Amino acid sequence: MACPTTFRFTFWKLVFAFLMAAGLYATLIRFTQGLGASTHLSDQFPWGIWISFDVLCGVMLAAGGFTLTAAVHILNIKRLDSIIRPTILTAFLGYILVCAALMYDLGKPYNIWHPLIMRNPHSVMFEVAYCVMLYTSVLALEFLPVVLERFHLEKPLQVMRAILIPLVICGVILSTLHQSSLGTLYLIVPEKLHPFWYSPLLPVFFFLSAIAVGLAMTIFESSMSSKHFGFELELPVLEELGRVLLVVLAVYAILRAEDLARRGALKLAFRPGYETYLFWVEVFLAIILPLILLAQPRIRSSPNGLYFSAVSVVLGFITNRMNVSITGFEGSTGVHYFPQWTELAVSGMIIALGFGLFGLAVKYLPIFPGEELAREQRLEPESEMAATRVAEHAGD
Amino acid sequence: VLRRRFPAAVTPAITLAITLLPHSAQAPLEKISGRCEKDGPEEYFMSKALLYDSTLCIGCKQCEQACASQNGLAYDDRIAAEQYQSAHKLTCVVTRGDKFMRRLCMNCNDPSCASVCPVGALEKTRLGPVTYDPSKCMGCRYCMVACPFSVPKYEWGKLFPKVQKCTLCPDRVAQGKQTACAEVCPTGATKFGERDQLIAEAGQRLRDHPGQYVDHIYGLAEVGGTSVLLLSAVPFETFGYRSDISPDPLPLLTYRVLSQIPDFVALGGMVLGGVWWITHRREQVALREGREANENKRGKR
């Protein structure tokens, strides 16, 4: 399975190399000249895209991990078992990269361990710090069996199997706390955050949207993996996910609309302005478009329809996180923030690393287990495509 | 199957939603104030404060200079001309026409910054000052985001930056001295004293000269009260002081959620464990019934 191929330059490898080079150069600037020289952050705008994108979105995009482990191990939905490993891998990589991004953003990264001994339980950031630490550990343990399997270590595998359920429960609780507490972070700034995004229900919105994005990312990833690595798409499974995604989005939409109406922010939604446009971009991509698409069984059962809906949800909620943490503050601070190239380069490098590490892990570890077997079983005359793909795959 | 079972996963969301609905479980006030749970709010009536009466201010900026030298910061004509707080200027005298107004850290009674600091680098002390310990700080800058007055500033130009803000000269105050700015003020516009006495005095001035002032002591009620009290002849918004500041301490907003965590963890663990037990029990029962049914069939044959 793990047979290194001869090295070839492809388009994506060039992109990867470019992003890595730019990111490393930006890293050099960040750690030799400080935050002032490497970012467009200011006293008015202390948090930029390293928090908005790398941390808030990073954690959100990793939400598939807890959503799917809960579905498979707690709710005992066995059909989803086949996609659980790539999802845990994504979550694990996501959290590692969030930690890496934090090292860039913290003014004194060498003090990152301070919350371990200097505790302020009144601080949401303290809770976030603990949840990130603990949940990254949980994810490492949840991912460990894949590595153990690769090296045929049976004894530790048995231990891991024995502690799996408590581990999963810990993971789900930590994730719930953590996903919602990223919203709680902003509860303390009622005067500063635009009424489109400030709400006492922020923690609930962050949590629900994390579930939605977790599901959407799982669909996205499975589609990408099937294209890129030549595995057959688990269409019925993804269709189920799409159906659940529809329900979660509907609940989110109702809560969000009700909240906006109750706080009197709905009338602002039709007043032209910078915030209004971005608000509608978010609402259209995250709620309206995927709800319309996923509500139609025909689209929900087509690979492209599912893929497109998932991408829309992911982009929509990325916009949401950016709006909460950047757009929503521009009015009250009177400052327009746009990241410096170094900030974009670091974020680009982190995304590239995510894709790169995912590719490596899929290549060298049993991430899609049972695929070989399942594929052979499924080889029926009508699936010529799958057969050729398997042949290709076996060839390299 | 998935459709019917999945709502169980939304249970945490519903639990959260219920706990967060407005007016639910108001946390007691004394639990909120950053790191000093022991001090009830009544403690602050004994605390020290500054009263700045802008009608007495002549804009000489000696407070700026005294502040700079007290905090070991450079001060020259260029810095004197800056009309905003920054990492190298912890207080500034803002000029609007012929009116002056100081801007400095309000040293809140229930400071957002101390409440949000994950490592407790910022602390409200019993005497009034909100202090900062740079050796604890890891530079997350949540204090800067959270401060309702946007006071904490950052040393962006440094490789290992600190947060900078007025800390109400904690060393001087601990020695029973005035803050540097109050000591140097030639007109008594900035006055140092006990907070409750200063409040009484400010009230007296408002009553004695009603036409001279806006009828408001800024800092008396804002975010639960601050250790800096301001009087002004023109609306405070003129100088960038927000008028929409909540009279309740803002840390309440996050504490209301954070205080649910222990219950949530216990409840969440139980619910998830319960759901796991039910779903797997169902499977075991189905398995056993299937086996028994098979055996029965075989037995009949």
Side-chain angles (χ1 to χ4, degrees), chain A residues 89-126:
Chain A
L89 172 65
T90 316
F92 183 44
L93 289 176
Y95 270 76
I96 289 179
L97 296 173
V98 164
C99 296
L102 270 176
M103 298 302 280
Y104 283 84
D105 187 72
L106 288 180
K108 298 199 244 179
Y110 53 89
N111 280 348
I112 195 169
W113 56 277
H114 274 186
L116 280 173
I117 56 159
M118 300 167 188
R119 300 193 177 98
N120 178 12
H122 293 281
S123 166
V124 185
M125 188 64 84
F126 173 78

Side-chain angles (χ1 to χ4, degrees), chain B residues 214-243:
Chain B
V214 175
D215 188 21
H216 184 64
I217 306 173
Y218 199 94
L220 178 64
E222 275 75 11
V223 288
T226 65
S227 289
V228 172
L229 305 161
L230 308 168
L231 291 176
S232 173
V234 290
F236 289 93
E237 291 97 312
T238 319
F239 307 100
Y241 281 100
R242 303 186 66 118
S243 56

